[in-house]
Amino acid sequence: MVQDALNKIREERKLTTVTVAHRLTTIVQSDKIVVINEGSIQESGTHKELVEEGGIYSTLCEGQGLTADAADYANNTVANEATATSLNQSIPLNDESDVEQAIAESDKVDDNTVDEGTEDVVDTRGVYSRLRQYSKSDTVYSILGYFGGILIGGLPAGEAVLFGLITGNFFVISDAEEMRSTNYELSLWFLLLAFLSLLGNICMGIGFGVSGSRLTRRMRVLVFDRLMRFPMGWFDYPEHSTGELTTRLEEDSELAGVITGLPQGQRIQVFSCLAAGMIVTLVYSWQVGLSAIACVPLILGSSIVQAKYASREPSNNNQISPATLLERSFADIVVLQAYGLQVDVSNKYSLALDPDIRFKRKQAGYSGLAFGLSQFAVFGTFALIFYIGISLMVKGKLMFTDFFVALLSVMFSSFGAGQTGADFGARRNGLEAAARLFEIADGNVDDDDDPLSEYGSKPEISGKV
């Protein structure tokens, strides 16, 4: 924000600006930099010239992590911000009607000016194996979580068998006493299902809850430790602002934790639920089972597409993010008011929110279409199973109870898988978040600049300190 204020003054008035700074990113764009040492001018020139000289200024830049190309980078950043700001530059925000006008005008901006959900290409190769290494000490908890997920996933199939047999007995057994005793014995098995459900949920909750939370903590500590080692100049770039880094440290660490957290258990639950349902269906009627298996890819595919569109995030590559703008604005509110930048910053913030608004409009349509396809697949499967089952019963090749159990196994398994709330896109998002965190954790820090390093040059200190 301080640099914005200086740039605004230079654009509006023809005058010479004298800037005194210890953070060198504030002056890298200056036409002339003067280094004063021991009461006299020691060096003079542009940022690039002074860095290449290798003198006092170059040493200071080294300590703040600035290279000779820092001025060019800053100029490109300012140019990009100016281009983005010009879209809303003519929209004053003085009262409520003007705010409404600004929103309306921003909606008319050509779609090509904003990246609407074009996802960043994040290289996630090797990320999962690294996360597994960080979670290696929690293997016992992971196994416990897998056991709980598989156990819970198999319950709908068991429920379908009991429900189908009990209901079928009403049509098959004519003797009232025999029906009562038989169904009474079968109904007691629901108590076993209740106990297994309690046990499975406890195991999955403890197992994946502990492993996921521990991974999240390890990632936060890893990245925070690395951030403490970067030179001061590294934090002056927009992508390394407090808002951006806070978001990464908190949100990305949480997303990375889902790789070994509860969402992992929910995904296991979905697959075990469908597998158990198909096995029971094949046992009671292989014809109905094969028909249901043929429809599984359609049901799963539509569900995955729905989850994918629901979990996507808009890309904001060409602009400063809203989080960064908020952090900068509140930190430099005195400067903003002193130089009259309130309207400019408000316009920038409005523009920064545009990608999310535009993206959600498309996301709503795609998600609705995907959900409709998912429901179409489910009900289409039921229609096919009813048609095949009725045909087999009419021909005497299938008993009513067997068909009813097979049908309920498909229905209960499908509904059980849908009720888990498993987000199959969460794993991909978690891997991408972990890749971004590892990018920071793997950042190069010179030993001479690392305050926690045991290597590098050490000053020789003599006398009393």
Side-chain angles (χ1 to χ4, degrees):
M1 292 305 171
V2 174
Q3 193 63 51
D4 287 343
L6 293 174
N7 292 335
K8 182 177 176 64
I9 293 174
R10 295 191 187 107
E11 291 173 2
E12 294 181 350
R13 302 180 185 178
K14 294 182 179 180
L15 47 80
T16 300
T17 306
V18 179
T19 307
V20 180
H22 290 284
R23 293 196 75 163
L24 303 181
T25 50
T26 308
I27 61 172
V28 292
Q29 295 174 263
S30 300
D31 299 319
K32 188 174 184 180
I33 299 173
V34 175
V35 180
I36 300 176
N37 186 37
E38 297 181 354
S40 61
I41 297 177
Q42 301 290 329
E43 299 174 7
S44 177
T46 64
H47 169 78
K48 189 172 185 179
E49 293 170 349
L50 294 179
V51 171
E52 291 175 350
E53 282 183 12
I56 299 173
Y57 183 80
S58 177
T59 303
L60 294 173
C61 287
E62 249 180 66
Q64 298 189 19
L66 297 178
T67 63
D69 299 328
D72 296 334
Y73 179 87
N75 285 327
N76 292 335
T77 302
V78 171
N80 290 337
E81 291 181 21
T83 301
T85 305
S86 65
L87 294 173
N88 278 345
Q89 194 68 36
S90 62
I91 306 175
L93 300 178
N94 297 325
D95 54 36
E96 185 176 352
S97 62
D98 290 337
V99 172
E100 294 175 356
Q101 178 189 355
I103 295 175
E105 290 294 333
S106 66
D107 288 342
K108 296 178 183 177
V109 178
D110 184 73
D111 289 346
N112 294 329
T113 62
V114 180
D115 191 355
E116 297 182 14
T118 302
E119 299 176 80
D120 300 336
V121 179
V122 180
D123 187 4
T124 59
R125 291 175 297 179
V127 172
Y128 181 73
S129 60
R130 289 186 67 177
L131 291 175
R132 295 304 307 176
Q133 287 296 323
Y134 279 104
S135 301
K136 195 172 183 179
S137 60
D138 299 326
T139 302
V140 174
Y141 287 102
S142 296
I143 294 175
L144 184 65
Y146 281 117
F147 170 76
I150 295 173
L151 187 60
I152 297 172
L155 293 180
E159 182 183 358
V161 171
L162 294 177
F163 196 92
L165 292 177
I166 291 174
T167 305
N169 287 338
F170 287 107
F171 299 93
V172 175
I173 301 177
S174 57
D175 183 70
E177 184 61 27
E178 182 183 358
M179 181 191 302
R180 186 194 68 80
S181 61
T182 302
N183 285 348
Y184 176 76
E185 293 176 0
L186 290 173
S187 63
L188 292 178
W189 284 93
F190 279 104
L191 294 177
L192 177 61
L193 293 183
F195 173 75
L196 294 178
S197 176
L198 177 63
L199 177 63
N201 280 283
I202 291 176
C203 291
M204 190 173 75
I206 294 177
F208 287 121
V210 171
S211 61
S213 61
R214 286 185 176 180
L215 178 61
T216 299
R217 180 181 182 275
R218 292 189 185 103
M219 295 300 294
R220 284 176 175 169
V221 172
L222 173 70
V223 175
F224 186 78
D225 177 74
R226 177 57 63 174
L227 289 175
M228 294 297 98
R229 298 169 182 261
F230 282 115
M232 183 172 61
W234 187 83
F235 296 92
D236 288 327
Y237 296 107
E239 63 268 28
H240 302 153
S241 67
T242 303
E244 294 290 340
L245 294 176
T246 301
T247 300
R248 283 198 183 188
L249 193 60
E250 295 299 320
E251 296 183 3
D252 283 356
S253 296
E254 289 288 346
L255 287 174
V258 307
I259 300 299
T260 59
L262 192 59
Q264 174 74 355
Q266 293 173 337
R267 291 190 290 271
I268 294 298
Q269 185 178 340
V270 168
F271 287 113
S272 64
C273 186
L274 292 176
M278 294 304 103
I279 292 174
V280 171
T281 304
L282 288 171
V283 169
Y284 281 87
S285 174
W286 63 268
Q287 299 95 328
V288 173
L290 292 179
S291 302
I293 290 175
C295 296
V296 166
L298 181 61
I299 297 175
L300 276 182
S302 56
S303 299
I304 291 173
V305 170
Q306 180 186 355
K308 177 181 178 180
Y309 280 109
S311 61
R312 288 179 64 189
E313 295 292 337
S315 178
N316 197 19
N317 296 330
N318 299 325
Q319 298 174 225
I320 298 178
S321 70
T324 298
L325 279 173
L326 284 176
E327 179 264 323
R328 286 185 173 186
S329 301
F330 293 145
D332 297 321
I333 188 64
V334 176
V335 177
L336 295 181
Q337 294 182 357
Y339 292 103
L341 295 175
Q342 297 96 317
V343 174
D344 292 341
V345 174
S346 296
N347 288 341
K348 280 186 178 182
Y349 185 69
S350 175
L351 186 65
L353 294 174
D354 279 347
D356 184 62
I357 296 173
R358 298 174 191 277
F359 174 77
K360 285 183 177 178
R361 291 174 183 169
K362 285 189 174 182
Q363 185 189 43
Y366 288 134
S367 297
L369 177 62
F371 181 75
L373 290 175
S374 176
Q375 295 299 300
F376 176 82
V378 171
F379 290 114
T381 301
F382 292 159
L384 177 63
I385 291 175
F386 268 110
Y387 175 79
I388 294 175
I390 292 173
S391 300
L392 291 173
M393 284 191 294
V394 169
K395 296 178 182 179
K397 296 181 179 181
L398 183 63
M399 299 297 293
F400 169 78
T401 301
D402 293 339
F403 168 68
F404 198 52
V405 171
L407 173 65
L408 290 180
S409 296
V410 175
M411 293 181 63
F412 284 16
S413 298
S414 300
F415 291 146
Q419 290 175 354
T420 61
D423 183 0
F424 288 91
R427 186 177 188 275
R428 182 202 61 188
N429 294 337
L431 291 175
E432 292 180 354
R436 291 191 292 267
L437 294 175
F438 284 134
E439 182 181 358
I440 296 177
D442 297 337
N444 294 323
V445 180
D446 294 334
D447 288 330
D448 288 341
D449 296 330
D450 186 355
L452 303 178
S453 175
E454 295 293 331
Y455 303 96
S457 58
K458 297 181 180 179
E460 296 182 3
I461 301 176
S462 60
K464 296 181 178 180
V465 179

